[in-house]
Amino acid sequence: MTALDLSSPVAVVGTGTMGQGIAQVALVAGHPVRLYDALPGRARDAADAIGARLDRLVEKDRLTAADRDAARSRLRPAESLSELADCALVVEAVVERLDVKQELFRALEDIVADDCLLATNTSSLSVTAIGGALRNASRLVGLHFFNPAPLLPLVEVVSGFATDVTSATRAYETARAWGKTPVACADTPGFIVNRIARPFYAEAFAVYESQAADPATIDAVLRECGGFRMGAFELTDLIGQDVNESVTHSVWQAFFQDVRFTPSLAQRRLVESGRLGRKSGHGWYDYADDAERSEPHTAEMERPPAYVVAEGGLGPASELLTLIREAGIPVREEDEDHGTRLLLPGGGQLVLADGQTSVEFRDVVYFDLALDYRRATRIALSASQDTAPQTLAEAIGLFQALGKEVSVIGDAPGMIVARTVARVVDLAHDAVAKGVATEEDIDTAMRLGVNYPLGPFEWSRRLGRGWAYDLLDDLHLRDPSGRYAPSLALYRHAYATEKREGTP
């Protein structure tokens, strides 16, 4: 099954920001495009707005004047749904209400040809449920674009329970012909991106709610240590707290209030107070012109330790040993069975975040997972009230000697980056095991849809087969609510190659 022929008209119903963006994508690809909106005059206004954006593309040398003129000639506002009768594809981008979408598609069924492909751009509703109201749901598919549609490459192609393979394939190939990067996905709450991205927000909010760190510090650690483009607090301020919370709540409800997707009470209070982020002038941060900029906690300078003793090689943080030597600090390596840690001259230990808490052990400081310890500009440390001041000072001084800013947070098991990555990896493995998408498509979706520095399976391969499982298992022992219980899929992945003696 191939993509739609460029001579085939494409219709977009709903002319808000997303509808206009999808129409522009189809138009620039070469299709005749029809715009329809239930509100009189909106389709014509949308056509004018698209024309203005095409003008700006010409000004930026991203489109020739001839191509712009040709595109404009193919764009036509429609006064009624009946004008969409000859379209080969109709994409709806109307309000996120199941009844509204069902009513629209029922009306379209009586107008368009039997071989017309019907697509919904829903981000939170079930494609299966939308199709449940149709006589023939086999031709209904989800085409979930990301905003702004003309710029972001990812399109989730979602197959509902009744979607025919040929319909999904045609939608997939059409999206690819439009210059997008499609990924195939089963109809599951949140699809790929909005399902697997939940821990990025949830764990940041959980660290904040436990009073282990403030938003500016958590955001700085996610960016400067974890390699994420934006922190969770600044990103949700950009998205809109109401929008982000609505998606979280929708996924949570759709999974029958699964504790792994529980919304944040702190975010709920933010929405209730009207602090919706940049669009309201205040969210987690204050965006007033005269507002004082929130800065992350950064430790004062400390003297580096005279030496360190490395036991167990440090696992995913092994690169630190090279950096420590390059900084002129002697490293003595010992093969021990105590796990992976650094011993400091004062007798304390420095350990990579593993889901346990500092208060459980004598004189332990935890350090967070980094995307790249050489390039990271900030490292988070976690200590308890019982940690010796000398141990914390030596840990701070060690990372400062490596050229890093240091943020000391409370005794939060799994810290910030490590628990976030572990949960994302777990949800990704669970999604593959349940037939939601392939490993490759999930990695592609998370890199392109939310700009993650690595896809979940890229993280998993880099960190080692059992790393995420072990961290979550330790977290689950300390928080037995089920939020951190590793999935059966992650358990199987962690122990797939481990040979055990005896019989079951």
Side-chain angles (χ1 to χ4, degrees), residues 355 470-486:
D470 290 341
L471 187 143
L472 290 176
D473 194 40
D474 279 335
L475 264 170
H476 178 54
L477 288 174
R478 287 149 186 83
D479 178 1
S481 65
R483 177 189 182 102
Y484 299 105

Side-chain angles (χ1 to χ4, degrees), residues 163-215:
T163 303
D164 189 271
V165 172
T166 57
S167 299
T169 303
R170 171 155 284 185
Y172 185 99
E173 293 300 334
T174 297
R176 184 156 63 178
W178 290 358
K180 296 302 180 182
T181 303
V183 291
C185 176
D187 186 19
T188 184
F191 308 143
I192 297 175
V193 172
N194 281 330
R195 172 178 176 152
I196 295 174
R198 293 349 292 162
F200 179 75
Y201 313 108
E203 294 312 308
F205 298 161
V207 172
Y208 166 74
E209 289 174 330
S210 70
Q211 301 188 60
D214 60 277

Side-chain angles (χ1 to χ4, degrees), residues 213-275:
D214 60 277
T217 299
I218 296 169
D219 277 353
V221 172
L222 286 168
R223 287 194 317 270
E224 299 170 37
C225 182
F228 293 94
R229 184 166 297 186
M230 298 180 75
F233 296 90
E234 57 188 338
L235 179 55
T236 53
D237 267 357
L238 179 64
I239 295 169
Q241 297 302 331
D242 52 340
V243 174
N244 181 261
E245 194 217 21
S246 177
V247 173
T248 299
H249 195 271
S250 175
V251 172
W252 175 62
Q253 289 283 22
F255 276 112
F256 307 107
Q257 300 186 358
D258 186 330
V259 69
R260 295 176 302 164
F261 300 100
T262 301
S264 162
L265 182 58
Q267 188 180 37
R268 175 91 291 262
R269 294 290 177 258
L270 206 65
V271 173
E272 289 173 340
S273 70
R275 295 187 171 187

Side-chain angles (χ1 to χ4, degrees), residues 183-385:
V183 291
C185 176
D187 186 19
T188 184
F191 308 143
I192 297 175
V193 172
N194 281 330
R195 172 178 176 152
I196 295 174
R198 293 349 292 162
F200 179 75
Y201 313 108
E203 294 312 308
F205 298 161
V207 172
Y208 166 74
E209 289 174 330
S210 70
Q211 301 188 60
D214 60 277
T217 299
I218 296 169
D219 277 353
V221 172
L222 286 168
R223 287 194 317 270
E224 299 170 37
C225 182
F228 293 94
R229 184 166 297 186
M230 298 180 75
F233 296 90
E234 57 188 338
L235 179 55
T236 53
D237 267 357
L238 179 64
I239 295 169
Q241 297 302 331
D242 52 340
V243 174
N244 181 261
E245 194 217 21
S246 177
V247 173
T248 299
H249 195 271
S250 175
V251 172
W252 175 62
Q253 289 283 22
F255 276 112
F256 307 107
Q257 300 186 358
D258 186 330
V259 69
R260 295 176 302 164
F261 300 100
T262 301
S264 162
L265 182 58
Q267 188 180 37
R268 175 91 291 262
R269 294 290 177 258
L270 206 65
V271 173
E272 289 173 340
S273 70
R275 295 187 171 187
L276 306 181
R278 288 182 178 273
K279 63 185 177 183
S280 69
H282 204 304
W284 296 109
Y285 299 107
D286 187 349
Y287 296 95
D289 292 338
D290 58 350
E292 185 176 344
R293 178 181 172 85
S294 298
E295 297 293 341
H297 167 77
T298 303
E300 299 291 333
M301 293 298 297
E302 299 284 357
R303 292 174 59 86
Y307 66 90
V308 296
V309 178
E311 292 186 347
L314 294 190
S318 59
E319 185 182 21
L320 281 175
L321 300 180
T322 301
L323 300 180
I324 293 169
R325 289 190 177 96
E326 289 175 357
I329 299 173
V331 178
R332 185 169 75 248
E333 294 189 61
E334 295 183 356
D335 253 346
E336 296 287 341
D337 296 328
H338 303 304
T340 59
R341 60 184 181 176
L342 290 175
L343 301 181
L344 300 169
Q349 304 174 50
L350 188 57
V351 181
L352 175 63
D354 59 6
Q356 302 182 86
T357 57
S358 179
V359 75
E360 299 172 54
F361 305 99
R362 187 189 68 81
D363 216 9
V364 167
V365 172
Y366 281 102
F367 65 95
D368 210 347
L369 178 70
L371 172 67
D372 183 330
Y373 282 99
R374 181 175 293 277
R375 293 186 177 183
T377 58
R378 182 178 299 273
I379 295 291
L381 301 179
S382 174
S384 75
Q385 66 271 21

